[in-house]
Amino acid sequence: MPESRTDRQLQTDKKDTEMTEKEKYHDLLHSVGEAMGVGVIISTPEPRALEVLMQLDALGVRLSIDDFGKGYSSLAYLKRLPVSEIKIDKSFVMNMAEDENDALIVHSTIELAHNLGLKVLAEGVVNEEVWNTLKNLGCDSAQGHYISPPVSARDFTRWLKESGWGIQRKDAGEKQPFGR
């Protein structure tokens, strides 16, 4: 007669599987930390670091290039790394309403990213004019003091419910995130 598994055994198996997945994430993230160093993006990806990033991508972890356009960020990352999003540095976004060069850089970066199939987040949205410009340029998402100053994790849920930026119905007349 075939062996029968009880609900308790199935639950135990499920917990073991979940733990194995958590261990995979932990091991991979630990490897990323070792391969990349703290707060450093690799300018020339070492084979092990690239392998770890590819494994994270295969597990569904979305990777972003932060502060795109400054420091260590490079167009080469868009070609080599398995990223799904770039975050345009706030130094270009904050003054784009007054500085034509910043506006051109932001516009070109959004178009480049979209042409490569990437999402774009604009950092440093300081006022409604910048917000509207980014929305008109097709930017996917944004962050900055115009939307909210930094809040604690404890206050975030309250902010989502009470602000006009939280999850709202489209017909509610509230501000909506880009792309909705």
Side-chain angles (χ1 to χ4, degrees):
M1 182 179 277
E3 183 180 324
S4 173
R5 301 189 62 81
T6 66
D7 285 344
R8 171 170 259 152
Q9 288 170 317
L10 291 174
Q11 288 295 339
T12 301
D13 290 348
K14 182 179 177 189
K15 285 180 184 175
D16 289 343
T17 301
E18 288 173 358
M19 188 54 152
T20 302
E21 290 300 313
K22 287 179 185 176
E23 288 170 356
K24 280 184 192 176
Y25 277 114
H26 178 269
D27 291 346
L28 282 171
L29 293 174
H30 181 72
S31 296
V32 168
E34 283 181 1
M36 292 187 180
V38 179
V40 175
I41 297 176
I42 301 171
S43 58
T44 307
E46 297 297 325
R48 175 66 183 140
L50 190 53
E51 177 186 331
V52 169
L53 292 174
M54 297 299 247
Q55 289 173 348
L56 286 169
D57 182 59
L59 289 170
V61 175
R62 294 184 61 224
L63 303 172
S64 297
I65 298 175
D66 198 19
D67 300 330
F68 189 79
K70 284 195 73 173
Y72 290 101
S73 71
S74 163
L75 290 174
Y77 291 143
L78 300 179
K79 183 177 176 181
R80 289 189 232 152
L81 301 178
V83 298
S84 59
E85 176 185 66
I86 61 170
K87 298 179 179 183
I88 302 174
D89 187 74
K90 67 183 179 180
S91 64
F92 301 110
V93 175
M94 291 174 66
N95 299 315
M96 63 184 284
E98 296 86 30
D99 186 324
E100 187 177 325
N101 287 331
D102 282 348
L104 287 169
I105 289 169
V106 170
H107 183 212
S108 298
T109 302
I110 291 169
E111 285 192 358
L112 173 66
H114 286 166
N115 287 336
L116 293 170
L118 303 174
K119 297 286 186 184
V120 179
L121 181 142
E123 301 174 329
V125 177
V126 294
N127 58 46
E128 188 171 9
E129 183 178 9
V130 170
W131 166 265
N132 288 329
T133 301
L134 289 166
K135 188 174 182 178
N136 291 333
L137 292 174
C139 189
D140 300 296
S141 56
Q143 67 185 47
H145 284 271
Y146 176 65
I147 300 162
S148 171
V151 295
S152 67
R154 181 177 49 106
D155 293 335
F156 182 69
T157 302
R158 182 170 43 99
W159 176 85
L160 274 176
K161 290 177 184 174
E162 295 175 3
S163 77
W165 299 99
I167 300 168
Q168 303 287 328
R169 291 188 351 245
K170 285 186 180 183
D171 61 349
E174 300 292 334
K175 293 180 174 128
Q176 294 294 310
F178 298 145
R180 297 215 178 165

